[in-house]
Amino acid sequence: YRLGEMKRLRIWLKELSLSQQLLTLIFLVVTVFTVFFFVYLSESVNEFVEKQMYSMLHRAQNNIAFNYSMDMDIEEIAENTDPSIIHLFYDKETRQFSKIGTTTLDPQLTSHLLEEADGLAQEVADRAYVQDRKTYFYSLARLDSHTILISLMSDSYRSDFKNMLLNSVINLNVLVVSLLFVCLMLWISSLIHPLNQIRNYVEKVSRGEEAELHIERRDEIGQVAQALVAMKEELDKQEKIKEEMIQNISHDLKTPIATIKSYGESIKDGIYPYETLEKSVDVIIEHADRLEKKVYSLIMLNKLGYLTDDGMAGDTLDMSAVINKAILSLKVIRPELEISTQLEKIYFHGEEDPWRVVVENLLDNSIRYATHEIVITLNEKELTVANDGPLMSEERLNKLFKPYEKGTDGKFGLGLSIVYRVCTTYGYRAEAENLNNGVIFRISRPGGLKREKPRKLEGKLKGKKEKIREDKNENSNS
C-alpha cells in the first residue's frame, strides 16, 4: 500500500508544471516552518522569556541591594526602581514587610511569599507561583541576616514579552518567505520562457517549418539551445547532402541501366552496337559490374549501420592475411602501380568481413588517387595505407569520414564512412593526414595493436579444429 502511494505521489509530481512545483515547494516550506514554530520554537521561546524575566529580577535586586547598603530609605530606593516589578522588604525578626510599588497584592500570594522568605536557606532563590491560572515569577535575595528582598513579576509581562518576540520573528519570516517567493517566481519565469521557446522551436522543426531560436544565456539552457540550433544546421546540411547524393546515385545508376537496356535490345534485334557480339556483351558486363559495385556499397553502408561488437573477445584476426587477400583482389585494377608492404604479424579485434571491407576501401581510394606508389605498413603502433597522390585541403580532411562526402574523383562518398563505422564499432581510431608527397590513412588503438592471440582463445580454437578433424575422419570412415 505504501509503495502504491509513493508511486502515485511520484506520478503526480512529474505531471506538475514548474510554477506548480514552485508553489508546492513554498507550501511545504511554510507548513514545515509552522509546525516547527508551534511545536518546538514556542516552547523554546517560553524558556528564553522566563530566563530573561529572572535576569531582569536579578538586575533590579542588585540595584536595590546596592542602594540598601548605602543606608537609603525605602522612598529613595523606590524612586530608582522599575514600576513593572514589585519589591517586598521582609524582616524575619519582626515578621513585618514593606512594599515598593502601588500594585495591590492578593493576601494569599503575600502569605505564600512570606512563607518562602521564612524558609529561605541560600542567598538567592528563583520561584514561580500559580494562582487562578495566573503565574507569578519572583526571586528571593538575602540582604543581611534578618532582611530578605522579594522581587515579583506577573505572567502578563511574560505574555507581552513573548508576543512581542514571536510577532517580530513571524514578521521577519513572512518578509523572508515573501522575498524568497518573489525571487523564485522571477527565477522560474526566467526558466519557463526559454523552455517555451525551445519547445516551440522543436515543434516547428519536427513539422518541417522554418524556425529560429535566439536565447542569450550561458547556462545549461543556453547550451541546450545552442546544441539544438547546431543539430538543426547539421541535419539540414546532411539532408541537402543526401538529396544531392540521391540525385547523383540516380544519375549514376541510370547510365549503366540505360546502356545495358539499349545494348540488350540492339543485340535482340541482331544489331551489335560495339562492332561484334563479344565486344557488345563485354560493354554490358562492364556496366553491370559498375552497377553491382554501387549497389554493394549502399548495401554495405546500411548493413554496417547495425554492426555490433558481439564477436569473440580478444584480438584474434590475423590482419596481415586480410591485407594480402585485399591486395590480390585489387592490384589488377591498376597493375602499373607499385604496391609495397611492410607487414608484421598483428592481430585485430573483430570479424574478418568488415575488416576486409575496410582494407579494400582504403586500397581502392589509394589506387584511385595514387600516381606511382602505394605503401602499406602494419606494426604494433598502427596500420597505414599511404599513396603519392595529390594532397587534400583541410576542409576535406575534416569531413573525410562523414557519409556522402564525395571527393574530386570519388564515386558515392560511402567508402571512407564505412571505414570509420567499422573502426569505431571495434574500438579503433581512423585518421587521415597529408604527407609531403601524398596522403596517409592511419588505423590505431589507444592501447596499441597486438602481436599474439589471447592464449585461452587460441587453445579453444585449436580444440575446435581438432574436433572438426575428428568428425571428418569419422564421416570418411563411415
Side-chain angles (χ1 to χ4, degrees), residues 132-144:
D132 297 331
R133 296 182 180 179
K134 188 175 183 180
T135 304
Y136 295 90
F137 298 93
Y138 60 93
S139 180
L140 306 171
R142 191 183 300 278
L143 298 180
D144 53 35

Side-chain angles (χ1 to χ4, degrees), residues 49-177:
V49 171
E50 289 181 9
K51 289 181 180 179
Q52 292 298 315
M53 292 180 69
Y54 284 121
S55 178
M56 291 175 62
L57 291 175
H58 293 161
R59 287 195 297 271
Q61 286 181 330
N62 291 335
N63 186 35
I64 291 174
F66 175 77
N67 294 332
Y68 181 80
S69 64
M70 301 298 293
D71 295 331
M72 295 177 63
D73 56 26
I74 294 179
E75 287 75 11
E76 292 177 330
I77 294 175
E79 293 177 358
N80 299 320
T81 59
D82 186 353
S84 63
I85 302 176
I86 302 172
H87 300 282
L88 299 176
F89 289 92
Y90 176 66
D91 191 332
K92 295 180 67 175
E93 293 181 352
T94 61
R95 300 186 62 82
Q96 298 293 322
F97 69 92
S98 54
K99 178 169 66 68
I100 297 177
T102 58
T103 305
T104 303
L105 295 179
D106 182 82
Q108 184 177 352
L109 173 62
T110 303
S111 176
H112 171 78
L113 295 175
L114 297 181
E115 289 179 3
E116 290 291 323
D118 283 329
L120 181 64
Q122 59 267 37
E123 294 295 323
V124 178
D126 296 330
R127 300 281 192 273
Y129 179 68
V130 180
Q131 181 183 11
D132 297 331
R133 296 182 180 179
K134 188 175 183 180
T135 304
Y136 295 90
F137 298 93
Y138 60 93
S139 180
L140 306 171
R142 191 183 300 278
L143 298 180
D144 53 35
S145 59
H146 59 84
T147 305
I148 296 176
L149 175 62
I150 306 172
S151 300
L152 175 71
M153 294 180 72
S154 68
D155 187 59
S156 60
Y157 182 84
R158 182 183 71 165
S159 300
D160 294 340
F161 187 84
K162 177 182 176 181
N163 291 334
M164 181 183 66
L165 179 62
L166 293 180
N167 289 334
S168 300
V169 173
I170 291 175
N171 292 334
L172 178 61
N173 280 276
V174 169
L175 177 62
V176 170
V177 170

Side-chain angles (χ1 to χ4, degrees), residues 33 35-46 166 169 173:
F33 172 75
V35 173
F36 169 78
F37 179 80
F38 286 102
V39 173
Y40 174 76
L41 190 60
S42 180
E43 186 63 28
S44 300
V45 168
N46 284 334
L166 293 180
V169 173
N173 280 276

Side-chain angles (χ1 to χ4, degrees), residues 22 35 53 62 79 105 204 278 282 294 321 330 345 368 396 403 466:
L22 173 63
V35 173
M53 292 180 69
N62 291 335
E79 293 177 358
L105 295 179
K204 288 182 178 180
E278 183 177 354
D282 287 339
K294 293 171 183 178
L330 294 177
K345 197 76 168 179
R368 191 179 312 120
R396 172 68 180 146
E466 291 176 358

Side-chain angles (χ1 to χ4, degrees), residues 238 241-242 245-246 249 292-308 353-354 357-358 361 400-405 411-425:
Q238 292 294 330
I241 293 172
K242 286 181 180 180
M245 182 260 185
I246 290 172
I249 290 176
E292 181 184 19
K293 289 181 180 179
K294 293 171 183 178
V295 173
Y296 175 76
S297 296
L298 290 172
I299 293 174
M300 180 57 66
L301 181 64
N302 182 67
K303 178 181 177 182
L304 292 177
Y306 302 96
L307 180 65
T308 57
D353 288 343
V357 172
V358 168
N361 286 348
L400 192 61
F401 293 103
K402 290 186 177 181
Y404 316 113
E405 292 287 343
K411 296 179 180 178
F412 290 101
L414 300 177
L416 294 180
S417 66
I418 291 173
V419 170
Y420 181 79
R421 285 194 183 183
V422 174
C423 290
T424 53
T425 299

